[in-house]
């Protein structure tokens, strides 16, 4: 501010961790990660500029500030480009626990990676090889200040274990994977289970074939169903709503999904991967329904787009918090969902394709299993699934109790009444 900026938001981030990988019963790689970054964003009468630096000296910080000011001078002013209003700031919010020290050494993490690889190979019985098996432990800290009278800080941990396995049959190879992530080591899946699950998932895909082109019910496996939630999120961002680049155009109160479906945002979940009392603009997080009974109750808004839409920001400048996609119907197991599906496609992998964010036209290459009489008939590959998201979301028949967490999203498997399957 001494250099003439009207208002300033400054943040500092530090990350340190270890990543270990196993390959062929030995350590394939060992990486010690670490970085420190300071970001300076200035506001000057509707103009904004941002610069970052890893040079944490007075000279480096001064240079970053000068660059931010220089960038701002090249930008057209916009009256909605301003820091968060004082009443939006998370001044009194209590911290959410996000850090638990792991005390894991590189040798500990390497041992976990080797255990994962060994379990995958044992489950494969000679038909599986491991493409990647690893373990990582990361600690992070961050602090921010707005002007001269607001600051917040946090410390967080994250631990990951994973395995990617390849199974072969008659010269054809298929791949699948499994992983576990948490802020607490004690809450991770056992390493052997991650390896075994990856191998089992790869083995069951062998002998896949296509199916006839047709229209049928489709069950999205829980890890894949998270992509549907992210499609909804994208349609409800401030940018999408302000620009009209969204397939959810009815505004708040519109019946956009089946009447039994809810989407809840919970930023205050202890040790949640998407937890936090505020976003990078300092805006207080909110525990709230985003979708209630299929109706849109809220958007995901930064300060800029909140002002554009004449609404309050929601603390989502950096993305979504912990989202829970659920049904008001009694929860069903995966097996029960397959029986409800009866005959159709169980999608366990999305390989490529796209969703038109404006129309919601949905078309993706997929793989999975063909279901007959509620049971697996054979693996399926080389198909495309297609539909219109506004229709698909209103045709959600059930959301399973087989809940899986993918980043900041928790959802069970999602059964859609009807989609187009393009095969042979």
């Amino acid at each position: 501010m001494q250099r003439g900026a009207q208002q300033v938001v400054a943040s500092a981030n530090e990350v340190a961790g270890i990543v270990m990988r196993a390959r062929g019963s030995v350590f394939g790689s060992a990486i010690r990660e670490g970085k420190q970054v300071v970001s300076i964003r200035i506001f000057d009468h509707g103009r904004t500029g941002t610069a970052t630096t890893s040079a944490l000296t007075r000279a480096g910080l001064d240079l970053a500030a000068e660059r931010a000011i220089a960038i701002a001078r090249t930008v057209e002013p916009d009256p909605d480009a301003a820091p968060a209003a004082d009443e939006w700031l998370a001044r009194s919010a209590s911290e959410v626990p996000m850090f638990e020290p792991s005390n894991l050494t590189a040798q500990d993490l390497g041992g976990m990676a080797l255990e994962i690889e060994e379990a995958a190979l044992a489950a494969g019985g000679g038909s599986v090889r491991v493409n990647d098996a690893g373990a990582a432990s990361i600690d992070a800290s961050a602090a921010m200040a707005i002007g001269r009278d607001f600051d917040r800080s946090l410390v967080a941990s994250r631990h990951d274990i994973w395995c990617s396995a390849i199974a072969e049959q008659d010269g054809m190879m298929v791949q699948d994977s499994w992983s576990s992530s948490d802020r607490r080591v004690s809450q991770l899946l056992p390493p052997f289970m991650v390896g075994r699950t990856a191998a089992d998932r790869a083995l069951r895909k062998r002998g896949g074939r296509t199916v006839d082109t047709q229209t049928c019910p489709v069950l999205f496996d829980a890890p894949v169903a998270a992509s549907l939630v992210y499609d909804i999120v994208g349609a409800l961002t401030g940018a999408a709503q302000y620009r009209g680049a969204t397939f959810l155009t009815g505004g708040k109160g519109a019946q956009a999904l089946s009447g039994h479906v809810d989407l809840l945002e919970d930023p205050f979940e202890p040790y949640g991967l998407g937890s936090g009392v505020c976003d990078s603009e300092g805006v207080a997080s909110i525990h709230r329904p985003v979708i209630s009974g299929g109706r849109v109750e809220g958007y995901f808004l930064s300060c800029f787009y909140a002002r554009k839409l004449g609404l309050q920001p929601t603390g989502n400048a950096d993305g979504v918090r912990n989202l829970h996609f659920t049904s008001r119907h009694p929860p069903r197991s995966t097996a029960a969902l397959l029986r409800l599906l009866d005959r159709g496609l169980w999608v366990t992998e999305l390989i490529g394709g796209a969703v038109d964010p404006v129309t919601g036209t949905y078309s993706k290459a997929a793989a999975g299993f063909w279901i007959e009489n509620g049971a697996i008939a054979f693996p399926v590959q080389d198909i495309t699934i297609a539909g219109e998201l506004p229709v698909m979301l209103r045709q959600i028949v059930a959301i399973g109790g087989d809940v899986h967490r993918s980043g900041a999203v928790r959802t069970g498997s999602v059964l859609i009444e009807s989609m187009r399957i393009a095969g042979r």
Side-chain angles (χ1 to χ4, degrees):
M1 295 176 71
Q2 295 175 347
R3 296 176 179 274
Q6 187 182 24
Q7 294 170 301
V8 179
V9 176
S11 63
N13 297 272
E14 182 177 27
V15 177
I18 303 171
V19 181
M20 300 293 292
R21 284 183 161 86
R23 178 69 67 85
S25 300
V26 296
F27 295 156
S29 66
I31 301 173
R32 188 175 294 274
E33 298 181 336
K35 65 177 180 179
Q36 297 173 318
V37 177
V38 169
S39 173
I40 299 173
R41 187 181 187 191
I42 70 99
F43 297 84
D44 190 11
H45 300 91
R47 293 182 171 90
T48 65
T50 302
T52 62
T53 182
S54 296
L56 305 187
T57 62
R58 183 56 186 264
L61 296 175
D62 286 345
L63 180 59
E66 291 169 0
R67 286 176 174 171
I69 291 171
I71 291 170
R73 288 171 179 162
T74 67
V75 176
E76 288 295 319
D78 188 320
D80 294 319
D86 189 73
E87 63 269 21
W88 296 344
L89 295 174
R91 291 188 177 277
S92 59
S94 299
E95 292 296 337
V96 180
M98 298 171 63
F99 177 75
E100 184 176 283
S102 71
N103 299 316
L104 293 173
T105 65
Q107 288 294 324
D108 295 330
L109 292 167
M112 295 168 71
L114 290 171
E115 183 181 350
I116 292 168
E117 183 187 47
E118 181 182 353
L121 294 174
S127 299
V128 166
R129 58 186 175 91
V130 175
N131 183 47
D132 186 24
S137 181
I138 307 292
D139 293 339
S141 59
M144 66 174 301
I146 300 177
R148 294 187 174 92
D149 66 347
F150 176 84
D151 63 85
R152 297 289 309 210
S153 61
L154 65 84
V155 290
S157 54
R158 175 165 175 151
H159 316 289
D160 299 89
I161 53 178
W162 65 90
C163 182
S164 174
I166 298 173
E168 186 174 356
Q169 179 176 294
D170 300 329
M172 299 294 292
M173 292 185 294
V174 290
Q175 179 174 312
D176 215 316
S177 61
W178 201 245
S179 63
S180 180
S181 302
D182 206 279
R183 296 198 185 279
R184 297 160 293 178
V185 172
S186 62
Q187 299 304 304
L188 293 174
L189 290 174
F192 77 88
M193 187 177 295
V194 170
R196 180 188 298 171
T197 303
D200 289 345
R201 289 175 65 90
L203 287 167
R204 70 182 185 177
K205 292 169 67 174
R206 294 179 300 174
R209 59 183 191 265
T210 190
V211 296
D212 292 335
T213 297
Q214 60 192 283
T215 298
C216 67
V218 172
L219 178 65
F220 286 81
D221 196 29
V224 176
S227 67
L228 295 174
V229 180
Y230 283 114
D231 289 333
I232 295 169
V233 169
L236 294 178
T237 61
Q241 291 292 317
Y242 175 68
R243 296 168 181 165
T246 174
F247 59 85
L248 296 179
T249 58
K252 289 186 178 182
Q255 188 73 45
L257 285 77
S258 295
H260 61 94
V261 175
D262 295 325
L263 180 62
L264 176 73
E265 186 171 39
D266 179 11
F268 309 117
E269 175 190 333
Y271 302 103
L273 294 180
S275 296
V277 297
C278 68
D279 63 13
S280 61
E281 296 181 313
V283 175
S285 301
I286 309 168
H287 184 285
R288 63 187 178 122
V290 179
I291 303 290
S292 180
R295 295 186 181 275
V296 175
E297 297 291 337
Y299 302 129
F300 300 96
L301 302 176
S302 64
C303 290
F304 180 77
Y305 284 108
R307 291 186 174 105
K308 290 295 183 187
L309 294 168
L311 300 171
Q312 299 287 312
T314 58
N316 295 113
D318 315 303
V320 300
R321 298 303 181 177
N322 305 300
L323 295 178
H324 299 258
F325 195 56
T326 60
S327 171
R328 298 182 180 186
H329 294 162
R332 300 172 186 261
S333 65
T334 305
L337 289 170
L338 292 175
R339 290 192 295 270
L340 183 61
L341 170 67
D342 187 42
R343 182 182 185 276
L345 180 67
W346 179 22
V347 174
T348 60
E349 182 180 9
L350 294 173
I351 303 165
V355 175
D356 188 314
V358 178
T359 65
T361 298
Y362 186 101
S363 179
K364 294 192 176 184
F369 300 90
W370 187 253
I371 306 301
E372 291 281 356
N373 299 317
I376 293 176
F378 53 85
V380 173
Q381 62 186 29
D382 299 329
I383 60 166
T384 300
I385 58 174
E388 304 294 331
L389 269 174
V391 176
M392 292 165 55
L393 297 176
R394 289 194 295 270
Q395 289 186 343
I396 294 177
V397 176
I399 299 175
D402 53 343
V403 177
H404 180 82
R405 178 169 65 178
S406 298
V409 171
R410 279 189 178 89
T411 179
S413 298
V414 175
L415 177 58
I416 306 293
E417 181 180 322
S418 179
M419 292 185 69
R420 297 186 299 277
I421 312 300
R424 55 177 174 244

